[in-house]
């Protein structure tokens, strides 16, 4: 491994020339590789295909409480699916509402609800400038929702055990801070799981805003890569211990358990909040897709069946993460250029490169046919303050493609680093 | 048939005593019959069960443009489903977005969008008191949406060819009137289809509000009962002739084509509006349930397959409507007490009874085990100005149950009428 840090200018320039030659070889290969989104790969999707055989024309279509899943009704979900999500989220079915196929839509709609009808107080839209605390780097689509509704986002750095709690606790003293949005387990993109201490401190917060809400996107709740897995403290009961269960608005979905294009999503919250949400939901729909809810409930049979299914998913995911770890160790293990965290689950690896190098590396990758998540995507307003963050999404490509893509990425990071330190540029 | 209108007080009292005896017989039967909602019956749902066999574990899951329907993406719908809904709505696929399972949710979300982000102008929520024109009687769930968002509803009576156009044209001169919401074909609950003249006059309106929107809920677009069917002029092209395509926000769904609990819904609008909606949709979801979209598209094969399928549905519906017509003719054909319209499609029969009789009749029915749609449900704020409207939903009960329920209903209307005219009451 080359140690870039001790190189003098001449060595840097020589190395840049060598790396540029390699880069040109890749660029000439006509690659079209995509590490931009946390999408399951084709083989991984196939593990869920037997679900399509669960409900057929001659199946019993009644839910366990005797409703015909094909017809109108049961607007807050079928009981077997509520129980499944309650088990997933380690809560009780009466804290759960099961909805359509997208937890993103649920979060969007919740923010929309708070804007026009409030969260137990005045509508947010009538309260002037309001803000959300956003652990960063975070999930770009969360930030898009907040931006769409004109909610100002305040960055809170992610530490190794979750968001910077001192900063967060300070922030919520501002009554215009109405909430936070986060992925608490195998966080997108850092892969970090909030520590027990962080969860307890979050649950113990007494925000100045009485209508403060935590959007707890538990997207990777059961998405372990191997036997060793992270453990996240259950937020709702922690908040309830502090008498603030109403702060929690948790979501999860089966998008990355079965099909991203045809899953089932759910929310969990306090009784108060659910009552408020049900009033809206009753106006909003006569019911979500209960046939798909029934299909999921019968396919898994229960939480044990689901956990077994997640192991099949991990068989597809683990080797891909291993490739990413191996390539990163190989390229950056000792030269200190880049740092990363090796998560035990989730869908991403977060790569920190030297300041002002991320944009250049991503752009070099793009020119060589390797697509990464857009520059700054993991930050509110797309602004990565250090221009140093690269989100790697290893799940979608085939393994050989992923290897090639990682080679290109590592190469481009090195080039960007040397360009910056040598003030030389050999590539457009 | 008894002619009530010529009866003197003694005759009325005698007749009331006879009818009361009959009523008590029904009440003793322990009936539990439901004519309250426009739900398909069990047998009718079974006609769509072969759809469950269309996609199996070994099926090709690619859309016609080569996307894996199981994965993320195609947030505005798969092309084969856009084409299907374009054919249903007699427009072109580029005017169509295909979404989740509920057209009600689409309308709710559209109003929500207009509230916070406007309809080409200022957000509705920042424009003070705003109003919607509501043809009445109409669909209760439409009114619930408007009420939820605090939009004032103004009744516009339905005539035989659609809404009172003179009144509507006058109303839209008020800039605070931001839209109208209606079911233009086989209207819920009147069964009336807007005439060509009405559609043309609607399309030619030049509302004072530049951000006026017509929510055109084409729920029964292909829902004919027999060979003879109504023809509705296509609204989007009519509006475009007048340069006001942006006024149209049309929805439809397969809820009453396949399963109410697992259908596919779509919207059609102008390019301008679709662009605006897509910006929101992109933030809202990574995609709706494309597997269900594909299931529907393959099951029908195209518009001809869908039309053939609708004939199977009609086989279940037509006899039920016939029972309602027969019972109404038998009971009220010549005595002038009640009037109704016999639609050629849709899901309802609208019964007009004498003033101040509907509430009493519905309540008598309820006490005898026959549930009808709630009093005043077909009017904004649940207020039927004449207390004279009863919505009959004949689709869900079995035919013998429907016969019994209609007998009870006709009896209760007669009792309510005589009670009113004789000032006598023999029942609680």
């Amino acid at each position: 491994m080359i140690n870039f840090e001790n190189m003098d200018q001449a060595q840097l320039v020589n190395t840049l020339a060598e790396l540029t030659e390699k880069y040109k070889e890749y660029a000439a290969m006509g690659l079209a590789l995509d590490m931009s989104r946390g999408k399951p790969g084709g083989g991984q999707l196939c593990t869920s295909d037997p679900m399509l055989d669960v409900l057929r024309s001659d199946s019993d279509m009644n839910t366990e409480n005797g409703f015909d899943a094909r017809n109108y009704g049961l607007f807050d979900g079928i009981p077997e699916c509520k129980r499944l999500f309650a088990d997933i989220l380690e809560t009780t079915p009466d804290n759960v509402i099961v909805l359509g196929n997208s937890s993103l839509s649920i979060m969007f709609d919740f923010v929309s609800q708070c804007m026009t009808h409030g969260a137990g107080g005045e509508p947010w839209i009538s309260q002037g400038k309001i803000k959300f605390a956003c652990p960063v780097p975070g999930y770009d689509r969360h930030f898009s929702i907040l931006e769409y509704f004109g909610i100002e986002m305040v960055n809170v750095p992610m530490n190794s055990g979750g968001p910077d709690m001192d900063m967060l606790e300070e922030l919520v003293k501002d009554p215009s801070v109405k909430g936070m949005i986060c992925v608490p387990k195998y966080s997108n993109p850092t892969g970090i799981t909030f520590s027990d201490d962080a969860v307890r401190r979050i649950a113990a917060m007494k925000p100045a805003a009485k209508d403060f809400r935590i959007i707890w996107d538990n997207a990777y709740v059961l998405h372990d890569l191997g036997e060793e897995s992270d453990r996240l403290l259950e937020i709702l009961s922690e908040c309830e211990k502090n008498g603030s269960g109403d702060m929690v608005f948790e979501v999860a979905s089966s998008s990355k358990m079965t099909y991203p294009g045809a899953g089932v999503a759910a929310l969990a919250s306090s009784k108060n909040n659910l009552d408020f949400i049900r009033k809206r939901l009753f106006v909003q729909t006569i019911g979500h897709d209960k046939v798909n809810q029934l299909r999921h409930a019968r396919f898994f049979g229960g939480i044990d069946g689901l956990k077994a299914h997640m192991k099949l998913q991990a068989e597809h995911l683990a080797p891909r993460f291993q490739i990413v770890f191996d390539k990163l160790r190989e390229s950056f293990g000792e030269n200190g250029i880049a740092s990363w965290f090796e998560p035990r689950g989730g869908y991403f690896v977060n790569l920190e490169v030297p300041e002002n190098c991320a944009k250049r590396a991503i752009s070099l990758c793009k020119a060589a046919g390797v697509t990464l998540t857009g520059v700054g995507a993991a930050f509110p307003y797309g602004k990565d303050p250090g221009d140093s963050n690269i989100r790697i999404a290893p799940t979608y490509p085939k393994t050989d493609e992923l290897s090639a893509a990682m080679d290109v990425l590592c190469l481009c990071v090195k080039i960007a680093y040397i360009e910056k330190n040598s003030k030389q540029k050999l590539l457009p």
Side-chain angles (χ1 to χ4, degrees), chain A residues 99-115 124 132 139-146 148-149 151 180-184 188 213-220 249-253 255-256 265-268 277 280 284:
Chain A
L99 298 123
N101 77 320
S102 161
S103 55
L104 193 71
S105 295
I106 297 176
M107 292 183 278
F108 181 97
D109 196 64
F110 179 67
V111 175
S112 184
Q113 168 178 343
C114 295
M115 292 305 287
W124 286 358
F132 252 61
Y139 180 28
D140 54 349
R141 290 186 184 267
H142 285 168
F143 305 147
S144 300
I145 292 174
L146 298 173
Y148 180 83
F149 286 104
I151 297 171
M180 71 178 281
I181 190 163
C182 60
V183 180
N188 174 356
R213 292 293 178 265
I214 301 163
I215 302 182
W216 194 256
D217 182 1
N218 213 340
Y220 307 107
F249 183 82
E250 183 173 15
V251 297
S253 84
S255 290
K256 287 168 182 120
L267 67 89
I277 289 164
R280 176 184 180 88
Q284 211 166 13

Side-chain angles (χ1 to χ4, degrees), chain A residues 228-426:
Chain A
E228 300 268 301
S229 63
D230 289 0
R231 179 99 194 94
L232 174 72
L233 215 53
E234 199 282 298
I235 183 76
L236 190 54
S237 51
E238 287 302 318
C239 280
E240 276 166 357
K241 281 179 203 167
N242 292 283
S244 54
D246 292 351
M247 280 206 310
V248 181
F249 183 82
E250 183 173 15
V251 297
S253 84
S254 78
S255 290
K256 287 168 182 120
M257 296 171 179
T258 58
Y259 299 146
V264 173
L267 67 89
S269 195
S270 68
K271 195 188 168 299
N272 269 347
N273 286 354
L274 292 192
D275 285 347
F276 194 61
I277 289 164
R278 277 198 192 93
K279 276 186 197 156
R280 176 184 180 88
L281 193 57
F282 187 75
V283 177
Q284 211 166 13
T285 183
I286 315 180
H288 284 278
D289 187 338
K290 295 185 302 296
V291 170
N292 203 35
Q293 291 181 12
L294 189 63
R295 186 180 285 119
H296 276 74
R298 295 220 182 129
F299 177 53
F300 292 132
I303 187 74
D304 293 337
L306 171 54
K307 284 180 176 168
H309 184 73
M310 293 310 287
K311 288 199 199 301
L312 300 179
Q313 304 269 327
E315 285 176 21
H316 287 263
L317 296 172
R320 287 171 170 77
F321 277 81
Q322 198 55 55
I323 288 169
V324 173
F325 301 157
D326 289 346
K327 293 288 181 185
L328 292 175
R329 288 177 200 168
E330 208 178 291
S331 292
F332 307 117
E334 288 163 34
N335 57 22
I337 290 185
S339 65
W340 65 96
F341 176 72
E342 299 188 358
R344 301 197 284 189
Y347 266 63
F348 303 100
V349 179
N350 192 51
L351 183 65
E352 283 293 326
V353 300
E355 285 216 341
N356 301 318
C357 284
K359 189 174 170 182
R360 176 63 176 158
I362 290 171
S363 140
L364 285 169
C365 280
K366 183 85 193 161
V370 175
T371 306
L372 289 148
T373 311
V375 181
F379 293 81
Y381 313 107
K383 285 181 198 156
D384 173 1
D387 181 16
S388 61
N389 183 265
I390 296 177
R391 184 179 84 162
I392 301 171
T395 58
Y396 186 70
K398 296 195 175 68
T399 48
D400 57 335
E401 292 175 346
L402 180 63
S403 287
M406 283 304 299
D407 285 336
V408 175
L409 171 61
C410 293
L411 184 62
C412 294
V413 169
K414 289 175 190 164
I415 293 174
Y417 172 83
I418 301 184
E419 282 180 351
K420 186 188 143 196
N421 285 287
S422 68
K423 315 274 184 219
Q424 292 272 332
K425 241 186 181 181
L426 302 179

